[in-house]
Amino acid sequence: MNFQKCLPFLISIQLLFSGSAYSQMITGTWKGKIGKQKAEVKIVQKGDSLTGTSYYYESSGNFRRYSIKGYFDKNTNEVIWWDDQLIEERTGKSGLGSLGKIPLLSSADFNCPGGGRMMLDGKAAEKENQSVTKGDLHLDKMETSTFNDEWNFIIDNFTVGTNDPYLIDSVEAIAGTRIIEDPVIREERTIAPVIKTEEPVVQKQVKKQEPIETIKKEEPDSYRVKPAPLVIAKPIEKKFTERTKVFIKEIPVTGDSIELRFYDNAEVDGDSISLFLNNKLVFEHIRLTAVAYTIKLSVKDLNESNELVMVAENLGSIPPNTSYMVAIVKEERYDARLASTEGSSAMIRLIKNN
């Protein structure tokens, strides 16, 4: 990384504007390539999290667009974001094909090579299967955008008021409307009129009904409302034992300690988790939000091989329970997407690297 060349620009921003200069540098329109696809990513920083939108395109009329979520670590200058929801498709003459069809997770270093230029360089992989890489990414920060959308207003005025979290949340809600497709030309059909024929009305004699209080009828069992069975929540240890452990990733461990950060991987919806280390409950009732829940493990207390298992205490309002985990080992950073359901738990293997 060549972040030192950003410092003069960073200092000038701090002198001119209030708020975080890092946010003002990361926030913006970034253009280039992700893998072999032309891409434009609009990134807006809110606290330590990122929001915005990504376009994979051939032209301004031929693209797929996603909402994005992510994080920025100002200590390492690493920017991580992923395609969250597909919200728009526009098909040009050549069609879309595989363009932007698979949502990606991108990880990049924030660099300033000089001359006011800012770049994001890194790698991309499939969001749902990070072992499948999609190649290198290179994006440059630009003053103009190919696509005019609701984020332009936030980005253009970020240093003069639109960095307000409430305003960003409002735009995020508007931009998150699910998929808008190309207009469909519908075939018009002529429906024949319905001709009604009237039949003579036959008067029927209605037998006088007895007073209702004299009619007593036993309701059959099938009509009776039965009380719902009482559901008793299983202890977290029982959930840990019964659920299948799904291996996600192996992380080498060195040094004195390992730092683990847990975030909600999608919309913050009340997910909470427990952590088991080598079959023992070590942390419980961890509420996942957009702000990291950080724990540290002493390396000397670990075995040569260790299993860290994330067990969902609940599934939130949007199942499954998904967590985005970042592990910091010395100066190395590892990330993983963990998912837990009523039938499975996510497992990370920590291996001492002596």
Side-chain angles (χ1 to χ4, degrees), residues 52-73:
T53 192
S54 61
Y55 293 85
Y56 302 95
Y57 68 98
E58 288 185 357
S59 66
S60 60
N62 189 13
F63 62 86
R64 280 190 176 97
R65 177 191 178 195
Y66 290 84
S67 62
I68 65 166
K69 293 182 183 294
Y71 304 95
F72 171 58
D73 188 335

Side-chain angles (χ1 to χ4, degrees), residues 18 20 35 90 106 136-137 165 215 272 297 323 338:
S18 61
S20 170
R90 296 293 179 193
S106 299
D136 297 333
L137 73 85
I215 300 175
S272 64
L297 301 175
S323 168
L338 312 179

Side-chain angles (χ1 to χ4, degrees), residues 203-212 215:
Q203 295 288 339
K204 293 183 180 180
Q205 292 184 351
V206 180
K207 186 176 180 180
K208 186 176 181 181
Q209 187 176 356
E210 296 181 12
I212 193 166
I215 300 175

Side-chain angles (χ1 to χ4, degrees), residues 183-250:
V184 178
I185 300 174
R186 303 185 184 276
E187 181 183 359
E188 293 185 1
R189 296 180 181 180
T190 303
I191 302 174
V194 178
I195 302 174
K196 292 184 179 181
T197 58
E198 295 185 359
E199 296 181 358
V201 177
V202 178
Q203 295 288 339
K204 293 183 180 180
Q205 292 184 351
V206 180
K207 186 176 180 180
K208 186 176 181 181
Q209 187 176 356
E210 296 181 12
I212 193 166
E213 60 267 21
T214 65
I215 300 175
K216 293 183 180 180
K217 187 183 291 185
E218 287 292 329
E219 290 183 347
D221 290 341
S222 60
Y223 286 93
R224 292 177 183 172
V225 178
K226 298 179 181 179
L230 180 62
V231 178
I232 301 175
K234 295 180 181 179
I236 193 65
E237 290 85 356
K238 190 171 180 63
K239 294 179 180 179
F240 168 75
T241 303
E242 292 180 347
R243 294 175 182 176
T244 303
K245 298 169 184 64
V246 179
F247 173 71
I248 304 298
K249 196 169 193 175
E250 185 175 289

Side-chain angles (χ1 to χ4, degrees), residues 36 38 60 169 230 263 268 324 332 338:
K36 296 180 180 181
K38 288 198 293 185
S60 60
D169 287 343
L230 180 62
Y263 307 82
V268 178
Y324 178 69
E332 295 294 323
L338 312 179

Side-chain angles (χ1 to χ4, degrees), residues 146-162:
T146 302
F147 304 95
N148 185 25
D149 59 38
E150 48 283 302
W151 287 113
N152 288 19
F153 172 71
I154 295 291
I155 292 171
D156 293 344
N157 299 280
F158 195 76
T159 59
V160 291
T162 56

Side-chain angles (χ1 to χ4, degrees), residues 132-143:
V132 180
T133 59
K134 289 297 182 179
D136 297 333
L137 73 85
H138 174 82
L139 302 173
D140 284 282
K141 191 173 185 182
M142 310 296 286
E143 294 295 328

